[in-house]
Amino acid sequence: MANGTHVLVLPFPGQGHINPMLQFASPLASKGLKTTLVTTVFIFKSIYSDHPIASTSFRTISDGFDEGGFAQAKSPDIYLSTFKSVGSQSLASLIKELGDSGIPVHAVIYDGFMAWALDIAKQLGIRAAVFLTQSCAVNSIHYHVSRGLLKVPVEGSRIWLPGLPELKIWELPSLIYHHGSYPAWFDTIVNQFSNIDEADWVLVNSFYELEKEVVDWMSKIWKLGTIGPTIPSMYLDRRLKHNEDYGLQLLHPNTSACMRWLNTKPNGSVVYVSFGSLAEVGVEQMAEIAWGLIGTNAYFLWVVREPEEPKLPDNFKHMTREKGLIVRWCPQLEVLKHGSVGCFVSHCGYNSVLEALGLGVPMVAMPQWADQATNAKHVEDVWGVGVRALVDEKGIVRRETIKQCINEVIMGGKRGNEIKKNSIKWKNLAIKAADHGGSSDKNIDEFVAKITS
Ligand code: UDX
């Protein structure tokens, strides 16, 4: 163990936050740190894992909603404020308890959504690194808002920020573009930067080559380390790191049904469709997706979470038969890595984008909210690994558009071939960054050296 150094890793309690932070904890463990993943009591009870988590131990803190988590709170506002007050006390007690039992905590790696964890670490004289789970581009936009450098509501139709492409205002994260839509979440994302200057390190799940210009700009403000993409080696085609964990799921994936079905399909013939762990797609939009998928020549594997199922058109499941498989949750990395998958219709949650990019799967972007419109802009215009399916004046992506976009990506043609070429290019760059001696691997080494010094 490197110096016996013990770090707590504290993700915000959501699938899109736990995945990257657990997957970051694994290489830390392989480099000799003792890592403990701290989840809320409710999340700990919900964890499902296909594989044992080998390298990281678990402890819990309370968010004040031990029986039902987020869903138990009456509103995001109540959840977030309770989590801050109860979580702060609970974290301080856990750190003291670990110290008393002879496993003192030397550093805390906390999710930016939990800025209060930094205050606790500082009060207890412990070093702290913030882990920002969104892209550098998105973090830079939120930072500018937090410091009053970008005023909200945003005026004009376009904005220009250092290291970023020109952005139309609808390409901004939704909490900025639709300012006032979710005030408690807006406060949380802006608050990430309230005390960040006190953090000893700023870690981002990105890699240098992916966001060079904005990384260079952010590195002038903080001790920044890009350490991504945090995708386990076995999926990213790089050398397996010692004792590496696969990840964990909060919903039970229908693994055997998905893999059996994919195994029967020709190479590149399947469209994988998923809108992540949170998005609520409207009934009209669900129908357009359904008929758009039926309209293509491709097979499709569509993740429709249980609460979304009633929104599927009547009889749709029955009608899809051999052409499509609908599941409530899947092992996304295994699916994206499967040779039969030729296109990913995605809401562009940042983890999904990084996973598709790291596994070389071209995308059709259908952003829903949060950072997704900005991610989709990058997918299409900056990285060239997909197309955006644009909404009509009612805010719906129509079936014809969905069909056209999928065909463009999956069937080739000039643009489709260019997208495929770019997807392979970015996959190789992602592997290189994460592999031994790559930019992210070096940043992790540097972080470990400092934290153990
Ligand atoms: C949320 C936000 O919505 C997103 O915009 C932000 O960038 C991160 O937090 P979420 O909507 O769940 O996340 O999307 P995403 O970031 O893509 O994370 C979903 C994770 O769940 C991915 O790691 C994906 O591999 C996994 N997943 C998804 C599965 O394992 N199985 C599935 O069926 C669907």
Side-chain angles (χ1 to χ4, degrees):
M1 194 188 302
N3 256 353
T5 304
H6 178 204
V7 292
L8 291 191
V9 180
L10 267 118
F12 186 80
Q15 184 80 66
H17 293 251
I18 294 170
N19 283 4
M21 291 190 73
L22 172 67
Q23 286 155 13
F24 177 59
S26 290
L28 290 186
S30 76
K31 288 175 193 284
L33 297 180
K34 173 173 171 52
T35 53
T36 300
L37 193 90
V38 180
T39 67
T40 59
V41 174
F42 176 71
I43 289 287
F44 187 68
K45 287 194 264 191
S46 317
I47 287 173
Y48 167 86
S49 182
D50 267 333
H51 312 276
I53 305 291
S55 59
T56 303
S57 56
F58 284 82
R59 295 300 291 249
T60 56
I61 57 170
S62 178
D63 55 4
F65 300 96
D66 295 350
E67 295 313 311
F70 186 76
Q72 195 191 340
K74 289 207 171 65
S75 67
D77 192 18
I78 292 174
Y79 181 78
L80 293 164
S81 58
T82 311
F83 189 21
K84 179 178 176 179
S85 57
V86 177
S88 296
Q89 282 176 18
S90 190
L91 176 62
S93 307
L94 173 66
I95 293 173
K96 284 183 193 139
E97 184 198 317
L98 287 166
D100 292 344
S101 46
I103 20 179
V105 175
H106 300 102
V108 169
I109 301 171
Y110 70 95
D111 191 317
F113 278 31
M114 294 150 69
W116 45 264
L118 175 59
D119 301 334
I120 299 299
K122 291 291 137 185
Q123 279 163 29
L124 298 175
I126 293 172
R127 293 194 287 177
V130 59
F131 187 107
L132 302 173
T133 52
Q134 297 178 323
S135 72
C136 287
V138 166
N139 283 304
S140 167
I141 295 167
H142 290 154
Y143 167 78
H144 278 84
V145 173
S146 76
R147 299 290 151 106
L149 302 167
L150 175 62
K151 298 262 183 288
V152 284
V154 181
E155 285 172 5
S157 58
R158 282 149 209 272
I159 65 145
W160 294 267
L161 295 175
L164 297 189
E166 173 188 289
L167 294 170
K168 299 186 185 79
I169 59 166
W170 56 267
E171 293 169 336
L172 287 168
S174 71
L175 297 170
I176 311 297
Y177 176 49
H178 296 295
H179 181 238
S181 53
Y182 294 93
W185 287 116
F186 175 83
D187 290 347
T188 299
I189 53 126
V190 166
N191 214 18
Q192 296 186 93
F193 304 98
S194 59
N195 57 0
I196 196 168
D197 297 341
E198 313 288 313
D200 298 287
W201 301 274
V202 176
L203 306 173
V204 198
N205 185 14
S206 185
F207 57 101
Y208 180 68
E209 295 73 11
L210 189 66
E211 298 196 274
K212 253 184 209 159
E213 290 81 8
V214 66
V215 171
D216 285 341
W217 182 81
M218 286 170 86
S219 300
K220 291 183 194 145
I221 319 181
W222 304 300
K223 176 74 204 111
L224 190 80
T226 47
I227 48 77
T230 58
I231 298 170
S233 306
M234 44 290 222
Y235 296 111
L236 205 54
D237 282 343
R238 64 191 161 97
R239 274 171 282 169
L240 193 65
K241 308 232 163 151
H242 173 65
N243 240 1
E244 198 167 12
D245 292 325
Y246 286 76
L248 53 82
Q249 300 279 17
L250 300 180
L251 295 172
H252 201 310
N254 205 337
T255 305
S256 55
C258 292
M259 302 325 282
R260 258 201 328 265
W261 186 83
L262 289 175
N263 285 341
T264 64
K265 303 293 176 273
N267 241 16
S269 66
V270 175
V271 180
Y272 167 57
V273 188
S274 166
F275 290 82
S277 64
L278 299 170
E280 291 170 17
V281 179
V283 174
E284 192 177 355
Q285 183 64 83
M286 282 293 267
E288 294 299 325
I289 297 170
W291 303 128
L293 289 171
I294 290 281
T296 69
N297 293 324
Y299 297 106
F300 64 88
L301 168 59
W302 187 3
V303 175
V304 180
R305 296 190 327 274
E306 197 176 355
E308 299 282 288
E309 269 177 9
K311 299 176 184 170
L312 283 170
D314 289 344
N315 266 337
F316 181 71
K317 261 189 174 175
H318 176 68
M319 285 169 61
T320 56
R321 298 221 173 120
E322 278 304 293
K323 191 173 162 65
L325 177 68
I326 299 176
V327 294
R328 289 180 174 167
W329 197 249
C330 79
Q332 181 162 302
L333 282 163
E334 277 178 59
V335 167
L336 288 174
K337 198 167 169 53
H338 198 279
S340 66
V341 173
C343 169
F344 181 11
V345 176
S346 170
H347 70 317
C348 288
Y350 187 54
N351 296 291
S352 291
V353 169
L354 273 187
E355 289 163 7
L357 202 109
L359 275 68
V361 181
M363 275 174 270
V364 171
M366 282 186 61
Q368 304 296 304
W369 78 305
D371 53 345
Q372 298 155 14
T374 314
N375 298 338
K377 158 79 180 173
H378 282 72
V379 162
E380 184 177 66
D381 286 346
V382 181
W383 305 320
V385 293
V387 293
R388 278 179 290 187
L390 297 179
V391 294
D392 68 1
E393 63 290 344
K394 277 184 73 191
I396 305 283
V397 184
R398 294 296 163 194
R399 60 193 75 178
E400 271 310 310
T401 309
I402 294 170
K403 184 177 140 184
Q404 240 171 37
C405 289
I406 291 175
N407 284 344
E408 189 153 32
V409 167
I410 212 156
M411 297 200 332
K414 192 162 177 274
R415 192 169 180 208
N417 288 335
E418 193 60 32
I419 287 172
K420 280 187 189 138
K421 219 168 81 193
N422 287 333
S423 298
I424 300 301
K425 178 187 95 178
W426 282 112
K427 171 184 165 169
N428 290 334
L429 286 169
I431 293 170
K432 202 167 161 200
D435 213 341
H436 297 298
S439 57
S440 292
D441 189 58
K442 276 191 195 150
N443 289 340
I444 298 175
D445 278 342
E446 200 180 306
F447 172 66
V448 171
K450 293 246 170 71
I451 216 168
T452 52
S453 67

